[in-house]
Amino acid sequence: MPDDPAGRIVVVLDLDGVTDKAGLMDRCARDLALPDWFGRNWDALADCLADPALWPEGSEERGLLVVVRGWRTYARTRPEEWQVAEEIFAEATDRGPGLFVTLGLGASSERPPDQPG
């Protein structure tokens, strides 16, 4: 798990290989350790992200940083769905202190980086 200079708990949401909404929801359930009752829909994802009681232990006090990696293929194959996902991530970040969702930089393993280094 990566370190966060601000001291927040870091969780990686790995979307490598995800190409549809069902795959995204499955990865969210797995990587964010969402409860069994997670409905695997946009509203349920927004609700779970907004509920600090569902965050990893210590996150309510320290904050939670969700790093989304491997997202480019999904964004390219399902741009409308990806736009909704981005909106949910942004709204969750804006709802209050403690949660920050960021898109991991870097290239997909399928293509060389856009920038040198």
Side-chain angles (χ1 to χ4, degrees), residues 89-113:
F89 295 149
E91 287 172 13
T93 297
D94 291 342
R95 281 189 181 176
L99 175 67
F100 187 75
V101 181
T102 186
L103 301 180
L105 298 177
S108 163
S109 60
E110 300 170 9
R111 299 185 325 183

Side-chain angles (χ1 to χ4, degrees), residues 32-35 37 47-49 51-56 60:
L32 303 177
L34 299 179
W37 53 259
D47 290 345
C48 287
L49 288 172
D51 187 351
L54 299 177
W55 299 353
E60 282 190 75

Side-chain angles (χ1 to χ4, degrees), residues 21-85:
K21 180 181 172 185
L24 170 71
M25 294 298 165
D26 287 345
R27 290 294 175 87
C28 287
R30 181 192 76 188
D31 292 352
L32 303 177
L34 299 179
D36 291 338
W37 53 259
F38 169 57
R40 286 177 165 72
N41 61 61
W42 298 123
D43 289 337
L45 179 58
D47 290 345
C48 287
L49 288 172
D51 187 351
L54 299 177
W55 299 353
E57 186 175 332
S59 298
E60 282 190 75
E61 299 81 30
R62 295 175 48 194
L64 177 63
L65 172 62
V66 177
V67 178
V68 183
R69 67 173 292 285
W71 56 272
R72 293 180 192 268
T73 299
Y74 180 52
R76 189 172 49 251
T77 58
R78 300 287 181 125
E80 297 84 15
E81 289 178 12
W82 178 246
Q83 183 177 1
V84 175

